[in-house]
Protein backbone atom coordinates (compact mmCIF):
# COMPACT_ATOMS: atom_id res chain seq x y z
CA UNK A 1 0.00 0.00 0.00
CA UNK A 2 1.33 3.41 -0.99
CA UNK A 3 -0.15 6.58 0.50
CA UNK A 4 0.68 9.97 -0.95
CA UNK A 5 -0.04 12.88 1.35
CA UNK A 6 -0.34 16.52 0.41
CA UNK A 7 0.15 19.10 3.17
CA UNK A 8 1.38 18.47 6.71
CA UNK A 9 -1.08 17.57 9.47
CA UNK A 10 0.25 20.40 11.66
CA UNK A 11 -0.83 23.02 9.13
CA UNK A 12 -4.22 21.33 8.80
CA UNK A 13 -4.67 21.57 12.60
CA UNK A 14 -3.62 25.23 12.59
CA UNK A 15 -6.07 26.08 9.79
CA UNK A 16 -9.02 24.32 11.44
CA UNK A 17 -9.83 26.91 14.19
CA UNK A 18 -9.95 29.87 11.74
CA UNK A 19 -12.19 27.85 9.40
CA UNK A 20 -14.58 26.99 12.24
CA UNK A 21 -14.50 30.57 13.54
CA UNK A 22 -15.23 31.96 10.09
CA UNK A 23 -18.13 29.54 9.70
CA UNK A 24 -19.69 30.61 13.03
CA UNK A 25 -19.18 34.33 12.35
CA UNK A 26 -20.60 34.17 8.82
CA UNK A 27 -23.52 32.04 10.00
CA UNK A 28 -24.36 34.60 12.69
CA UNK A 29 -24.28 37.42 10.13
CA UNK A 30 -26.36 35.40 7.67
CA UNK A 31 -29.09 34.76 10.27
CA UNK A 32 -29.10 38.17 11.95
CA UNK A 33 -28.84 40.25 8.76
CA UNK A 34 -30.52 37.77 6.39
CA UNK A 35 -27.47 38.14 4.17
CA UNK A 36 -27.05 35.76 1.23
CA UNK A 37 -23.29 36.51 0.77
CA UNK A 38 -22.71 35.73 4.45
CA UNK A 39 -24.58 32.45 4.06
CA UNK A 40 -22.41 31.53 1.08
CA UNK A 41 -19.26 32.37 3.06
CA UNK A 42 -20.51 30.23 5.95
CA UNK A 43 -21.05 27.31 3.57
CA UNK A 44 -17.56 27.66 2.09
CA UNK A 45 -15.98 27.81 5.56
CA UNK A 46 -17.97 24.72 6.55
CA UNK A 47 -16.69 22.84 3.50
CA UNK A 48 -13.11 23.81 4.31
CA UNK A 49 -13.51 22.83 7.97
CA UNK A 50 -15.09 19.51 7.04
CA UNK A 51 -12.24 18.73 4.67
CA UNK A 52 -9.65 19.51 7.36
CA UNK A 53 -11.45 17.39 9.96
CA UNK A 54 -11.63 14.47 7.53
CA UNK A 55 -7.90 14.72 6.83
CA UNK A 56 -6.97 14.83 10.52
CA UNK A 57 -9.27 11.94 11.49
CA UNK A 58 -8.01 9.76 8.65
CA UNK A 59 -4.37 10.43 9.47
CA UNK A 60 -4.95 9.72 13.16
CA UNK A 61 -6.07 6.15 12.45
CA UNK A 62 -3.77 3.15 12.54
CA UNK A 63 -2.06 2.24 9.27
CA UNK A 64 -1.20 -1.24 8.06
CA UNK A 65 2.33 -2.32 8.89
CA UNK A 66 3.27 -2.65 5.21
CA UNK A 67 2.00 0.78 4.18
CA UNK A 68 4.52 3.26 2.86
CA UNK A 69 3.61 6.84 3.74
CA UNK A 70 4.96 9.52 1.45
CA UNK A 71 4.76 12.99 2.95
CA UNK A 72 4.24 15.42 0.09
CA UNK A 73 5.18 19.07 0.03
CA UNK A 74 3.23 21.83 -1.69
CA UNK A 75 3.39 19.85 -4.91
CA UNK A 76 2.56 16.56 -3.26
CA UNK A 77 5.60 14.73 -4.56
CA UNK A 78 8.28 12.54 -3.10
CA UNK A 79 10.86 10.02 -4.20
CA UNK A 80 10.54 6.50 -2.82
CA UNK A 81 13.05 4.01 -4.13
CA UNK A 82 12.73 2.97 -6.84
CA UNK A 83 9.75 5.14 -7.87
CA UNK A 84 8.78 8.80 -8.02
CA UNK A 85 5.21 9.67 -7.03
CA UNK A 86 3.37 12.95 -7.61
CA UNK A 87 -0.15 14.26 -7.90
CA UNK A 88 -1.35 14.89 -11.46
CA UNK A 89 -4.37 16.09 -13.42
CA UNK A 90 -5.74 14.16 -16.39
CA UNK A 91 -7.77 16.09 -18.96
CA UNK A 92 -9.52 14.66 -21.99
CA UNK A 93 -11.70 16.87 -24.13
CA UNK A 94 -13.88 18.95 -21.80
CA UNK A 95 -13.42 16.59 -18.81
CA UNK A 96 -10.77 16.34 -16.14
CA UNK A 97 -9.92 14.21 -13.10
CA UNK A 98 -7.34 14.22 -10.33
CA UNK A 99 -4.97 11.37 -9.60
CA UNK A 100 -1.38 10.41 -9.01
CA UNK A 101 1.46 9.37 -11.29
CA UNK A 102 4.14 6.87 -10.30
CA UNK A 103 7.24 6.75 -12.48
CA UNK A 104 9.83 4.00 -12.16
CA UNK A 105 12.83 3.00 -14.25
CA UNK A 106 10.87 1.01 -16.86
CA UNK A 107 7.73 3.13 -17.14
CA UNK A 108 4.94 4.69 -15.17
CA UNK A 109 1.26 4.55 -14.31
CA UNK A 110 -1.55 7.05 -13.73
CA UNK A 111 -4.15 6.13 -11.10
CA UNK A 112 -7.26 8.35 -10.78
CA UNK A 113 -8.43 9.53 -7.35
CA UNK A 114 -12.06 9.85 -8.41
CA UNK A 115 -14.44 10.34 -11.28
CA UNK A 116 -14.16 12.86 -14.08
CA UNK A 117 -15.57 16.37 -13.76
CA UNK A 118 -16.44 18.82 -16.55
CA UNK A 119 -13.63 21.34 -16.94
CA UNK A 120 -16.19 24.13 -17.00
CA UNK A 121 -17.54 23.07 -13.60
CA UNK A 122 -14.03 22.63 -12.21
CA UNK A 123 -13.06 26.10 -13.42
CA UNK A 124 -16.27 27.51 -11.93
CA UNK A 125 -15.64 25.87 -8.55
CA UNK A 126 -12.06 27.12 -8.58
CA UNK A 127 -13.40 30.67 -8.84
CA UNK A 128 -15.80 30.23 -5.93
CA UNK A 129 -14.52 27.48 -3.62
CA UNK A 130 -11.22 27.92 -1.79
CA UNK A 131 -8.95 25.00 -2.58
CA UNK A 132 -7.67 23.52 0.69
CA UNK A 133 -4.42 21.91 -0.39
CA UNK A 134 -4.66 18.80 1.77
CA UNK A 135 -5.24 15.31 0.47
CA UNK A 136 -4.58 11.68 1.30
CA UNK A 137 -4.80 8.97 -1.32
CA UNK A 138 -3.88 5.30 -0.99
CA UNK A 139 -3.45 2.69 -3.70
CA UNK A 140 -2.45 -0.95 -3.80
CA UNK A 141 0.56 -1.18 -6.08
CA UNK A 142 2.30 -4.52 -6.18
CA UNK A 143 5.67 -3.15 -7.25
CA UNK A 144 7.35 -1.05 -9.91
CA UNK A 145 7.66 -3.66 -12.66
CA UNK A 146 5.66 -3.07 -15.88
CA UNK A 147 3.41 -6.03 -15.05
CA UNK A 148 2.69 -4.75 -11.54
CA UNK A 149 1.86 -1.25 -12.79
CA UNK A 150 -0.35 -2.65 -15.56
CA UNK A 151 -2.21 -4.71 -12.97
CA UNK A 152 -2.67 -1.63 -10.75
CA UNK A 153 -3.90 0.42 -13.71
CA UNK A 154 -6.45 -2.27 -14.63
CA UNK A 155 -7.67 -2.57 -11.02
CA UNK A 156 -8.00 1.18 -10.37
CA UNK A 157 -9.09 2.32 -13.84
CA UNK A 158 -5.83 4.06 -14.67
CA UNK A 159 -3.39 4.18 -17.57
CA UNK A 160 0.04 2.67 -18.16
CA UNK A 161 2.67 5.22 -19.24
CA UNK A 162 5.21 3.62 -21.54
CA UNK A 163 8.03 4.79 -23.83
CA UNK A 164 5.47 5.53 -26.56
CA UNK A 165 4.26 8.56 -24.57
CA UNK A 166 5.61 12.07 -25.21
CA UNK A 167 6.97 14.36 -22.50
CA UNK A 168 6.62 18.13 -22.78
CA UNK A 169 9.12 19.55 -20.30
CA UNK A 170 8.03 23.17 -20.78
CA UNK A 171 4.45 22.44 -19.64
CA UNK A 172 5.11 19.36 -17.44
CA UNK A 173 2.64 17.19 -19.32
CA UNK A 174 2.57 13.70 -20.83
CA UNK A 175 0.50 12.82 -23.88
CA UNK A 176 0.30 10.16 -26.57
CA UNK A 177 -2.84 10.49 -28.69
CA UNK A 178 -5.95 12.69 -28.35
CA UNK A 179 -7.86 9.58 -27.24
CA UNK A 180 -5.55 9.26 -24.20
CA UNK A 181 -5.90 12.87 -23.15
CA UNK A 182 -3.19 14.81 -21.35
CA UNK A 183 -1.47 14.35 -17.98
CA UNK A 184 -0.12 17.41 -16.16
CA UNK A 185 2.29 16.57 -13.32
CA UNK A 186 2.50 18.62 -10.12
CA UNK A 187 6.21 17.90 -9.79
CA UNK A 188 8.83 16.49 -12.17
CA UNK A 189 11.36 13.81 -11.18
CA UNK A 190 14.97 14.65 -11.86
CA UNK A 191 16.51 12.49 -14.56
CA UNK A 192 13.56 10.12 -14.95
CA UNK A 193 11.63 11.59 -17.87
CA UNK A 194 14.19 10.41 -20.42
CA UNK A 195 12.31 7.13 -20.84
CA UNK A 196 9.58 9.05 -22.72
CA UNK A 197 9.82 10.58 -26.17
CA UNK A 198 10.55 14.30 -26.41
CA UNK A 199 7.36 16.06 -27.50
CA UNK A 200 7.69 18.12 -30.68
CA UNK A 201 7.20 21.82 -30.28
CA UNK A 202 3.54 22.67 -30.97
CA UNK A 203 2.72 24.61 -34.09
CA UNK A 204 1.19 28.06 -34.06
CA UNK A 205 -2.11 26.53 -35.15
CA UNK A 206 -2.09 24.05 -32.25
CA UNK A 207 -1.30 26.78 -29.74
CA UNK A 208 -4.06 28.91 -31.20
CA UNK A 209 -6.57 26.05 -30.93
CA UNK A 210 -5.65 25.44 -27.28
CA UNK A 211 -5.82 29.15 -26.52
CA UNK A 212 -9.27 29.44 -28.06
CA UNK A 213 -10.52 26.53 -25.97
CA UNK A 214 -9.14 28.09 -22.78
CA UNK A 215 -10.74 31.44 -23.60
CA UNK A 216 -14.04 29.72 -24.38
CA UNK A 217 -14.09 28.04 -20.96
CA UNK A 218 -13.00 31.27 -19.25
CA UNK A 219 -15.70 33.26 -21.04
CA UNK A 220 -18.40 30.74 -20.16
CA UNK A 221 -17.39 30.75 -16.48
CA UNK A 222 -17.40 34.55 -16.40
CA UNK A 223 -20.81 34.65 -18.09
CA UNK A 224 -22.23 32.15 -15.57
CA UNK A 225 -20.87 34.21 -12.67
CA UNK A 226 -22.35 37.41 -14.07
CA UNK A 227 -25.68 35.64 -14.65
CA UNK A 228 -25.77 34.40 -11.07
CA UNK A 229 -24.91 37.88 -9.80
CA UNK A 230 -27.61 39.51 -11.91
CA UNK A 231 -30.23 36.98 -10.83
CA UNK A 232 -29.31 37.36 -7.16
CA UNK A 233 -29.33 41.16 -7.42
CA UNK A 234 -32.82 41.19 -8.98
CA UNK A 235 -34.08 38.64 -6.45
CA UNK A 236 -32.73 40.43 -3.36
CA UNK A 237 -32.91 43.94 -4.86
CA UNK A 238 -29.27 44.38 -3.88
CA UNK A 239 -26.96 45.42 -6.72
CA UNK A 240 -23.90 44.84 -4.55
CA UNK A 241 -24.40 41.15 -5.31
CA UNK A 242 -23.87 41.84 -9.00
CA UNK A 243 -20.71 43.76 -8.15
CA UNK A 244 -19.41 40.86 -6.03
CA UNK A 245 -20.01 38.17 -8.65
CA UNK A 246 -18.73 40.54 -11.34
CA UNK A 247 -15.50 40.83 -9.38
CA UNK A 248 -15.16 37.03 -9.41
CA UNK A 249 -15.76 37.06 -13.18
CA UNK A 250 -13.04 39.69 -13.53
CA UNK A 251 -10.63 37.52 -11.52
CA UNK A 252 -11.30 34.59 -13.86
CA UNK A 253 -10.38 36.73 -16.88
CA UNK A 254 -7.26 38.05 -15.14
CA UNK A 255 -6.18 34.52 -14.19
CA UNK A 256 -6.66 33.42 -17.81
CA UNK A 257 -4.52 36.29 -19.09
CA UNK A 258 -1.69 35.48 -16.66
CA UNK A 259 -1.97 31.76 -17.41
CA UNK A 260 -1.72 32.29 -21.17
CA UNK A 261 1.29 34.58 -20.70
CA UNK A 262 2.98 31.99 -18.48
CA UNK A 263 2.47 29.31 -21.14
CA UNK A 264 3.99 31.50 -23.85
CA UNK A 265 6.96 32.35 -21.61
CA UNK A 266 7.64 28.69 -20.88
CA UNK A 267 7.65 27.84 -24.56
CA UNK A 268 10.03 30.71 -25.27
CA UNK A 269 12.37 29.54 -22.49
CA UNK A 270 12.23 25.99 -23.84
CA UNK A 271 13.44 27.30 -27.17
Amino acid sequence: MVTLRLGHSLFAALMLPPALGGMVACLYLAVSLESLPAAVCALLCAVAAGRLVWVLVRRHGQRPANEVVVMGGLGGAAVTHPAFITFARHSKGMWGRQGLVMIAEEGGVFLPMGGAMPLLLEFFLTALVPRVRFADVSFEIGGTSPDAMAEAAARHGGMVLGPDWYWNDAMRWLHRTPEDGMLVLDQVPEGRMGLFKVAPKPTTAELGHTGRKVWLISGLVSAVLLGIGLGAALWKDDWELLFGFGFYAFLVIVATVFGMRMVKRRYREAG
Side-chain angles (χ1 to χ4, degrees):
M1 180 73 73
V2 174
T3 296
L4 180 60
R5 290 186 169 181
L6 177 59
H8 200 281
S9 301
L10 175 61
F11 295 105
L14 292 176
M15 291 177 64
L16 182 57
L20 292 173
M23 180 188 69
V24 173
C26 291
L27 188 60
Y28 172 78
L29 293 176
V31 174
S32 60
L33 301 178
E34 297 183 355
S35 171
L36 179 60
V40 173
C41 290
L43 178 61
L44 296 180
C45 289
V47 171
R51 177 68 176 273
L52 294 171
V53 170
W54 178 85
V55 168
L56 292 172
V57 170
R58 185 168 188 253
R59 293 182 179 182
H60 182 71
Q62 295 296 322
R63 297 186 299 269
N66 61 343
E67 184 177 20
V68 179
V69 179
V70 181
M71 295 301 297
L74 291 179
V79 176
T80 56
H81 182 76
F84 176 91
I85 305 173
T86 181
F87 284 99
R89 172 181 285 110
H90 177 231
S91 61
K92 182 179 178 181
M94 298 298 291
W95 293 80
R97 56 180 178 169
Q98 300 287 337
L100 65 82
V101 165
M102 184 177 78
I103 299 176
E105 295 179 356
E106 299 181 60
V109 62
F110 168 75
L111 304 174
M113 294 165 53
M117 177 184 297
L119 292 178
L120 179 60
L121 177 59
E122 186 176 358
F123 204 170
F124 177 74
L125 292 177
T126 301
L128 291 179
V129 180
R131 293 301 181 98
V132 182
R133 293 288 287 172
F134 290 93
D136 286 359
V137 57
S138 300
F139 287 99
E140 295 181 10
I141 305 175
T144 59
S145 67
D147 290 340
M149 288 190 287
E151 192 273 335
R155 184 171 62 249
H156 297 292
M159 296 184 300
V160 175
L161 311 174
D164 56 338
W165 282 69
Y166 291 90
W167 168 245
N168 188 314
D169 187 63
M171 300 307 300
R172 299 201 311 269
W173 67 41
L174 283 164
H175 64 92
R176 184 171 56 177
T177 65
E179 290 74 22
D180 297 310
M182 184 183 301
L183 278 171
V184 182
L185 277 60
D186 270 17
Q187 297 292 326
V188 180
E190 291 289 341
R192 296 205 179 195
M193 305 309 290
L195 61 92
F196 303 108
K197 297 179 181 179
V198 177
K201 189 175 181 179
T203 64
T204 303
E206 290 174 336
L207 287 176
H209 174 72
T210 302
R212 286 190 294 272
K213 186 167 70 172
V214 171
W215 277 112
L216 174 62
I217 296 175
S218 176
L220 289 174
V221 172
S222 299
V224 170
L225 289 171
L226 288 174
I228 293 175
L230 179 60
L234 293 174
W235 177 43
K236 300 293 291 186
D237 195 22
D238 185 357
W239 292 101
E240 290 184 0
L241 294 172
L242 178 59
F243 173 79
F245 279 93
F247 179 72
Y248 275 118
F250 173 74
L251 290 181
V252 171
I253 298 298
V254 171
T256 304
V257 171
F258 277 97
M260 297 298 292
R261 288 184 176 179
M262 181 184 66
V263 169
K264 292 180 180 178
R265 184 176 69 251
R266 285 185 176 179
Y267 274 116
R268 286 197 300 267
E269 292 174 354

